[in-house]
Every structure is written in C-alpha cells, then in structure tokens.
Amino acid sequence: MISIDEVLETNAMISKMNLDVRTITMGISLLDCVGKDVDETCSKIYTKITTYAKDLVKTGNDISKKYGIPIVNKRISITPISLVGGSVCNSTDDFVKIAKALDEAAKTVGVNFIGGYSALVSKGMTKADELLIRSIPEALATTSKVCSSVNVGSTKTGINMDAVKLIGEKILETAELTKDMDSLGCCKFVVFCNAPDDNPFMAGAFHGVTEADCIINVGVSGPGVVKKALEEVRGADFEVLCETIKKTAFKVTRVGQLVAKEASARLNVPFGIVDLSLAPTPAVGDSVGEILEEIGLEYAGAPGTTAALALLNDQVKKGGVMASSYVGGLSGAFIPVSEDQRMIDAVSAGALTLEKLEAMTCVCSVGLDMIAIPGDTKASTISGIIADEMALGMINQKTTAVRLIPVIGKGVGEQAEFGGLLGYAPIMPVNNFGCDRFINRGGRIPAPIHSFKN
C-alpha cells in the first residue's frame, strides 16, 4: 500500500527537484524485414516500425497525465542496421536509403529519436559493417531523427583498431557535413566498448539480437532529487552520505518501474529493463556536477572528483537495483559536458579537462560524452582518444563510449550550440601530440588475459 506521505514526497520530487522519466524506448527487431532488395527492405522496415510504435507517444503522454510524471522522450531502438541490410545493401547509398526510411518512420509515429543505425565490429568488419560505417556521415547529415553507434571493442574480443581508425575519419566527415549547425551530426553518433543490448538512451541505443521481437525499456533520471537529498545531510560522514544516495535512488527507480510496467501493459509489449542512470539536462538544478559539488568539491574536476563519482555511481546502483525486477542498460551517472550546466561551468573555470574526464569514466557509466573539440583536430587524434576510452572499458569489463564533436570553424575558447536537451558546450583543448604511427598499425588489440574464462 502506498501511503499519502509517499505520494506527497513523489509530487515534491517532480515539482521542485526535476524528477522525470527521461525516456520510454520501444525496442523493435527488424530481422524479419529483409526483402529481395533494398527498396523492399525499406518498405518492410517502415511498415513494421509504424505498426508496432503507432501508439507509443500517445501511451507515454497518457501515463504522464495519469500519474503527473514528466516523460521527456519517447524513442525507438532497432536491430543494428548492418545486420538487417547486409544482404541487400551493396553501397553506402543503399544504407543511406535505409536511414531515410527510419527517419520517415520516426517522424510518422512522432518519436524524438530512433537508434540502431549501428554495427557491431569488435572482432572484425564484414563488408556490410564497413559500408554502414562509411555511410554514417551522409546518413546523419540527411536525417533528423536517426542515431548511430558502432561497438568497436569488448573485454572478450579486444579492440578493432581498423574500425577505430576509420571512425576517426568518419567523425570528422560528419562534422564537416553538418558544420552549419555546429557539427550537430556528431551529437547523434557514439562509439562503444562492451555495448549493452538493452540501452534505452540515445545516441547509443540499439535492439540487441538477444532481445525479444518487441520490448519496452525505460530510462529514469533525477540528479536534482539526489542533490536535494544530500543538502539535508550536508557535512555528515560517508556512511550517512551513501545511505542517503541509496534511499533516493530507490525512490527514483520505483517511479521508472511504475511507468515501465504501465507502458508494457497498455502497449501489450513485454517489459525489458529500467536503466538507473542519473541523466542530467542543461536546466539549473538537474546536474550531476551539482551533486559532486554537494558532496564536497568546489567544481567537478577538483581533486577527489573520481572518488566522489565512484561513490555516487555505486550507491545509485545499490539503491536502484532493489527497486526494479529487471535493471539493465548503462545504469549509473552520465557526465556529458554539454548537457550538464555545472559541468559546462567547470570546463569554463578550468577545473575540468579532457584528461580528468577520461579518469572519471573509469568509475561511471558511458564515457567521454558530448565533448566539443576544435574543428581542426586530426582524425588520428580523435581515433587515439577513442582507443584510450575503449581500453578503459575492455580492461575494466565495463561499458565505455565516446561522443566527440569536432566543431568545424571553431576553436578553444569558443562555444558550440546544439539546442534542446543537447545544450551547449565550450570547445575543450585536446593533446595534439601525434599518435599517427600507433593508429596506422592496423589490426586488433588483443583481449586482456582476464577475458579468458571458459
């Protein structure tokens, strides 16, 4: 039985602390959409998505009205398109046709984004994988709803450095094709190590081949709720601090569980997972950076930041996992620069550098996320940054990712504007000492010794 105190507390979290359900994401398998050619495949893809997801947005809005819980995004994730298009796509143009069909389907059903223009290449690339990767710049430049990802490494297989090199080049090409929008296309692309099959968050969402035909995944948020709870125990010891975060994460996750089960029942689609991630927005009071400051740091990036973030991430998982039957996705604290006002402020103050962010990614979800860098950064430098982050994921047996935006025509000290939840970002300096000979070696970095567990 839910008490009146719990109802009032939840209402306060929504009205005063920016609590929301960040996304309801419907995962749809497209493995049965392969036709005799690319045009028939596009037609089948459009039909299946618009049939399965026709009521997704309305359902999200109805649940939001019923419970008074903001549901910010309604999204779709689909089977990695390199698998779907492999037998019918003979060129990058063929893959771009599929991207446009996905974009049209997303517009028809009214979702914010559709993710899964993706390839899984941690051990090697098929012809279809390579064609899809080469098509990413045009696909992202000519669509508005499509998000793309490539998994280039895993703890079991190592890191595909051929793919890492190619992706560095394609990120720069994507930036150039969308330079009139501060290289916005790069905001819709992420490169992974150990990518999960059930992530509801963009830009890295895809519907893994281990999943059912159609599922509902929910991503919760609530940095403002955690921040407010920590204000009540300011100055207390670490035991009190950790207990407060755990209890708050439990309450936030229960909201996500409620929405997930309701959406599952209304849409007659199996409930997949709740992703526990603390996902910030540019709004004041909805910031992971503010939580780190409340824990005791002057700015994110100050000495002690990695320890504070490790503590936060662990307690969110411990509290959240008790609140839901199925937890998955990324589940932890996001630290995107452009989407978190206090992270932006920390960069502007000189407290937070790219190297410190890399250290922080050892203990949190995702990785180097939504980081704007100078537009004249070399492709090999971008590939080197990706390789470093992939190595952290591979060795530490965790998901890591990179979403870099080389902003064409802008340099350090300037600012990129992306709009909406993507926010804005100061251009961060990168280490420009060369890594060309390393990136150009080719081949695969082997999996670590602790990967051999059979």
Side-chain angles (χ1 to χ4, degrees):
M1 176 69 99
I2 299 175
S3 70
I4 188 63
D5 289 340
E6 289 176 296
V7 172
L8 293 172
E9 184 179 39
T10 302
N11 285 339
M13 291 194 301
I14 293 167
S15 62
K16 300 177 182 178
M17 306 175 205
N18 296 300
L19 174 65
D20 59 55
V21 170
R22 187 53 46 87
T23 180
I24 296 177
T25 300
M26 176 178 281
I28 304 173
S29 173
L30 301 183
L31 290 174
D32 59 352
C33 292
V34 180
K36 66 178 184 295
D37 56 29
V38 67
D39 291 327
E40 184 179 324
T41 300
C42 287
S43 177
K44 286 185 173 183
I45 287 171
Y46 178 87
T47 298
K48 184 165 187 181
I49 291 171
T50 54
T51 300
Y52 277 53
K54 67 181 187 300
D55 296 323
L56 177 61
V57 172
K58 179 181 183 300
T59 297
N61 292 338
D62 288 347
I63 294 171
S64 183
K65 290 175 185 175
K66 177 179 178 180
Y67 293 108
I69 300 168
I71 300 175
V72 180
N73 295 293
K74 296 85 181 176
R75 298 164 170 171
I76 296 168
S77 63
I78 43 98
T79 308
I81 287 298
S82 69
L83 302 178
V84 180
S87 62
V88 296
C89 292
N90 299 306
S91 66
T92 57
D93 288 342
D94 286 342
F95 273 109
V96 172
K97 277 187 179 180
I98 294 181
K100 291 179 178 178
L102 293 171
D103 202 46
E104 286 304 310
K107 289 174 181 176
T108 298
V109 298
V111 294
N112 307 94
F113 287 115
I114 184 165
Y117 195 76
S118 307
L120 311 177
V121 299
S122 62
K123 202 170 184 180
M125 287 186 285
T126 65
K127 178 184 176 183
D129 292 328
E130 185 173 347
L131 283 174
L132 182 135
I133 293 170
R134 292 187 181 279
S135 76
I136 286 171
E138 186 180 354
L140 297 183
T142 57
T143 62
S144 60
K145 304 282 190 179
V146 173
C147 290
S148 177
S149 62
V150 180
N151 189 77
V152 301
S154 76
T155 300
K156 291 291 290 183
T157 61
I159 303 170
N160 184 343
M161 291 300 292
D162 291 327
V164 170
K165 177 185 177 183
L166 178 59
I167 286 169
E169 297 165 1
K170 293 300 141 183
I171 288 174
L172 269 185
E173 191 178 328
T174 303
E176 183 66 37
L177 289 178
T178 55
K179 64 183 179 182
D180 58 330
M181 297 178 287
D182 275 354
S183 302
L184 180 67
C186 296
C187 298
K188 299 186 290 175
F189 174 72
V190 60
V191 53
F192 274 113
C193 179
N194 292 321
D197 283 353
D198 53 7
N199 166 29
F201 285 103
M202 301 297 168
F206 62 85
H207 186 73
V209 295
T210 63
E211 302 290 323
D213 190 52
C214 187
I215 56 170
I216 288 292
N217 295 324
V218 166
V220 297
S221 187
V225 181
V226 175
K227 164 69 162 49
K228 186 67 176 177
L230 293 184
E231 289 176 1
E232 302 299 319
V233 295
R234 188 174 292 168
D237 64 21
F238 283 107
E239 182 178 358
V240 173
L241 180 76
C242 291
E243 286 299 310
T244 302
I245 296 171
K246 278 195 295 186
K247 291 175 182 176
T248 307
F250 178 88
K251 295 171 186 175
V252 169
T253 306
R254 290 301 282 178
V255 172
Q257 172 83 353
L258 172 68
V259 169
K261 298 293 280 187
E262 181 90 6
S264 171
R266 289 185 180 218
L267 292 165
N268 195 28
V269 172
F271 162 46
I273 57 95
V274 173
D275 188 311
L276 308 180
S277 299
L278 290 179
T281 71
V284 175
D286 198 25
S287 162
V288 171
E290 285 188 27
I291 296 174
L292 296 175
E293 291 172 13
E294 186 59 43
I295 289 174
L297 306 172
E298 183 176 0
Y299 276 113
T305 296
T306 306
L309 185 58
L311 178 156
L312 173 64
N313 208 52
D314 186 52
Q315 302 311 311
V316 166
K317 289 177 187 285
K318 286 175 177 173
V321 78
M322 294 294 292
S324 176
S325 308
Y326 300 103
V327 170
L330 299 166
S331 288
F334 282 67
I335 51 170
V337 172
S338 79
E339 298 171 7
D340 187 315
Q341 183 59 52
R342 292 305 289 166
M343 299 290 280
I344 295 169
D345 295 341
V347 170
S348 300
L352 190 59
T353 64
L354 191 58
E355 289 74 18
K356 183 60 177 178
L357 278 165
E358 186 178 293
M360 292 163 68
T361 64
C362 294
V363 298
C364 78
S365 296
V366 192
L368 297 172
D369 194 23
M370 287 299 295
I371 296 170
I373 60 175
D376 60 359
T377 304
K378 292 168 58 178
S380 59
T381 299
I382 294 171
S383 294
I385 295 169
I386 292 170
D388 284 343
E389 191 63 28
M390 299 301 99
L392 291 177
M394 177 183 70
I395 296 297
N396 292 315
Q397 304 178 71
K398 69 184 293 291
T399 301
T400 52
V402 174
R403 191 161 41 152
L404 293 177
I405 305 102
V407 184
I408 303 300
K410 291 188 175 180
V412 176
E414 295 183 89
Q415 187 170 287
E417 298 282 350
F418 305 125
L421 285 175
L422 297 174
Y424 70 96
I427 311 296
M428 298 183 71
V430 300
N431 187 327
N432 284 313
F433 285 93
C435 60
D436 301 62
R437 288 189 297 119
F438 174 70
I439 296 300
N440 290 332
R441 283 183 178 273
R444 179 161 51 97
I445 294 177
I449 186 63
H450 58 255
S451 70
F452 188 65
K453 292 182 178 180
N454 289 340

